């Protein structure tokens, strides 16, 4: 079953999800790029920041989710496109595609298990001397993910969730080494954010808008509430609220900023 995205659910923690994007883009030292592309732009709220930073650039946002692009289209001054990241990484032997000065991908590559193999193709889309910057979560060993995996492997869920997409990423050094071997200058690092969340079952709200969404959508309507109830209970135990109702969610993220050789 193909899953769909809910822009409104995703935007519930827009500030927390947006901070890594700001930290990533802050390391791109491009003065006056002509073309800037946000690959995996989601609802476009962060792509808008690219237009604000480089107002004279032609800025485009690309996402495979029609729901996300529909939401993003409410923002003027940016070209929006529904497309698959994998098609962007395919060879262009006739050199028909215009090179991109700044290519950004924020919290998107983790959805493609083969994304390490796609990086050379994506780099090919970047102009000589241009920038390729991406950020992926690196928290897949945390309870927010392991609990979902363990629960989904149990009956009666296992058969239904077996083919649901799950995110994954690599060590920062793996990304850095690959791009260094391609001749790039590379700045790679990792950061663990401590998000302070409030509300009813805030960690469930967070993961149900991103990493857990395909698993939840793989379940039929009559079985999903049972799964969600158990998932919520286990998350509450793993991430207890303090006396003031605050929950701390550690979230490790991996950043890579690469500059392509001038020639």
């Amino acid at each position: 079953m193909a899953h769909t995205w809910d822009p409104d659910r995703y935007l519930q923690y827009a500030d927390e999800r947006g901070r890594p994007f700001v930290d990533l883009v802050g390391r791109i030292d491009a003065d006056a790029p002509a073309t800037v592309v946000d690959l995996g732009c989601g609802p476009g709220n962060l792509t808008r920041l690219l237009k604000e930073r480089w107002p004279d650039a032609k800025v485009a946002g690309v996402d495979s989710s029609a729901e996300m692009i529909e939401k993003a289209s409410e923002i003027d001054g940016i070209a929006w496109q529904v497309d698959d990241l994998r098609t962007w990484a395919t060879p262009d032997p006739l050199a028909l595609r215009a090179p991109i000065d700044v290519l950004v991908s924020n919290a998107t590559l983790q959805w493609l298990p083969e994304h390490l193999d796609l990086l050379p193709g994506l780099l090919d889309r970047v102009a000589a001397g241009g920038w390729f910057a991406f950020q992926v979560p690196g928290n897949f060993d945390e309870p927010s993910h392991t609990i979902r995996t363990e629960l989904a492997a149990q009956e009666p869920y296992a058969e239904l969730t077996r083919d649901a997409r799950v995110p994954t990423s690599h060590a920062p050094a793996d990304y850095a080494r690959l791009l260094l071997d391609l001749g790039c200058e590379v700045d790679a690092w990792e950061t663990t954010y401590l998000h302070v969340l409030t509300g009813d079952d805030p960690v469930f709200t967070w993961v149900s808008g991103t990493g857990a969404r395909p698993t939840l959508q793989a379940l039929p309507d009559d079985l999903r509430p049972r799964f969600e109830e158990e998932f919520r209970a286990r998350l509450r135990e793993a991430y207890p609220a303090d006396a003031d109702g605050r929950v701390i969610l550690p979230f490790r993220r991996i950043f890579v900023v690469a500059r392509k050789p001038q020639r």
Side-chain angles (χ1 to χ4, degrees), residues 32-103:
T35 56
V36 178
V37 174
D38 184 1
L39 193 54
C41 64
N45 58 307
L46 299 176
T47 315
R48 188 205 307 262
L49 301 180
L50 299 176
K51 187 64 175 178
E52 292 175 358
R53 175 167 177 182
W54 295 295
D56 296 328
K58 179 181 178 182
V59 177
V62 180
D63 202 281
S64 62
S65 167
E67 296 84 5
M68 287 293 195
I69 291 297
E70 181 180 5
K71 181 69 174 179
S73 297
E74 299 173 5
I75 302 172
D76 296 328
I78 297 171
W80 305 106
Q81 179 184 1
V82 178
D83 205 345
D84 193 300
L85 184 151
R86 287 164 290 197
T87 66
W88 275 68
T90 56
D92 182 23
L94 300 180
L96 298 176
R97 301 165 177 158
I100 299 162
D101 296 312
V102 176
L103 179 60

Side-chain angles (χ1 to χ4, degrees), residues 85-86 89-90 105 108-124 132 134 136-137 167-182 186 188 254-256:
L85 184 151
R86 287 164 290 197
T90 56
S105 185
T108 299
L109 291 169
Q110 74 275 7
W111 288 107
L112 301 173
E114 74 278 23
H115 69 260
L116 201 65
D117 296 330
L118 298 177
L119 296 186
L122 292 174
L123 187 65
D124 283 345
F132 177 32
F134 61 89
V136 290
T168 187
S169 62
H170 300 272
D174 293 334
Y175 297 118
R177 189 174 297 110
L178 186 153
L179 291 166
L180 285 168
D181 288 345
L182 293 172
V186 180
I254 298 164
F255 300 80
V256 180

